Amino acid sequence: EIVMTQSPATLSVSPGERATLSCRASQSVSSNLAWYQQKPGQAPRLLIYGASTRATGIPARFSGSGSGTEFTLTISSLQSEDFAVYYCQQYKNWPPEYTFGQGTKLDIK
Amino acid sequence: EVQLVESGGGLVQPGGSLRLSCAASGFTFSSYWMKWVRQAPGKGLEWVASIKQDGSEKYYVDYVKGRFTISRDNAKNSLYLQMNSLRAEDTAVYYCAREWYSTGDYWGQGTLVTVSS
């Protein structure tokens, strides 16, 4: 099983500042990495797939980078609606064995 | 507009069974893989199962194999999850999601399953 590890567990950032979230895979997943945003009481929302491609309707302030085992989600200028929990998910294996990271909670500083 | 609406959750005793449903609308249901993902209270996301467009391929996370069965009815635009031999650790919100490049691009709002005596 590919284990996904996110850091930090909690990140406190002020509105308007940049946030950088990390995700590490226990083995290479190439670019088969997605990022999701989840707000309390809501379903997850797909932000990024293929490590760096924004999903439909996702603002340009969200960007993803990385390949292999190290990945980053960057939010360039935090808006109030961006404070949420963020999850990475790998989808390398076939047959499917999709695994998620444990999440990073983005808090208002 | 794509919509996924789950139903069927509730309180069930350990060892019991439950069948979840997911009604899909706003897209051609038969053209997409579908999946179930769960989230235990206060915890992260966990993929449970996926099913191919025609139902000919089904995949599960190891610890539900033999207990859970994913299925679909394309004529009814519906996805199902039959859950048997339920355990306390199966307590979670269960989401159905449309698969897109192996991610989930649309999700339902979830249905809560509580396994407790």
Side-chain angles (χ1 to χ4, degrees), chain A residues 4 6 25 35 82 90 92 94 99:
Chain A
M4 307 302 292
Q6 291 184 241
W35 289 95
D82 299 335
Q90 68 81 19
K92 170 185 182 288
W94 192 264
T99 49

Side-chain angles (χ1 to χ4, degrees), chain A residues 1 34 36 38 41-46 48-50 87 89 91 94-102, chain B residues 33 35 37 39 43-47 50 57 59-60 63 95 99-105 107-109:
Chain A
E1 176 186 324
Y36 299 85
Q38 188 179 33
Q42 295 186 16
R45 174 194 183 195
L46 178 66
I48 301 285
Y49 64 95
Y87 294 95
Q89 177 225 325
Y91 49 95
W94 192 264
E97 191 183 285
Y98 309 132
T99 49
F100 292 86
Q102 81 280 17
Chain B
W33 282 75
K35 70 170 97 185
V37 175
Q39 186 170 35
K43 303 296 184 183
L45 301 167
E46 179 181 54
W47 169 74
S50 292
E57 295 181 40
Y59 300 98
Y60 302 89
Y63 31 88
Y95 296 101
E99 282 206 8
W100 192 75
Y101 286 93
S102 296
T103 69
D105 65 342
W107 298 61
Q109 281 305 111

Side-chain angles (χ1 to χ4, degrees), chain A residues 18 21 31 47 50-51 55 67 74 81 83-84 89 93-94:
Chain A
R18 174 188 297 255
L21 289 66
S31 295
L47 300 175
S67 66
T74 301
E81 62 266 29
F83 293 96
Q89 177 225 325
N93 285 350
W94 192 264

Side-chain angles (χ1 to χ4, degrees), chain A residues 46-77:
Chain A
L46 178 66
L47 300 175
I48 301 285
Y49 64 95
S52 61
T53 302
R54 279 189 301 278
T56 303
I58 302 303
R61 64 180 182 273
F62 290 91
S63 63
S65 63
S67 66
T69 62
E70 300 284 343
F71 300 89
T72 300
L73 175 69
T74 301
I75 311 171
S76 59
S77 178

Side-chain angles (χ1 to χ4, degrees), chain B residues 62-79:
Chain B
D62 282 349
Y63 31 88
V64 307
K65 285 179 182 175
R67 299 191 298 125
F68 290 12
T69 302
I70 189 172
S71 63
R72 64 192 296 162
D73 185 336
N74 288 342
K76 295 183 178 179
N77 290 337
S78 293
L79 176 72

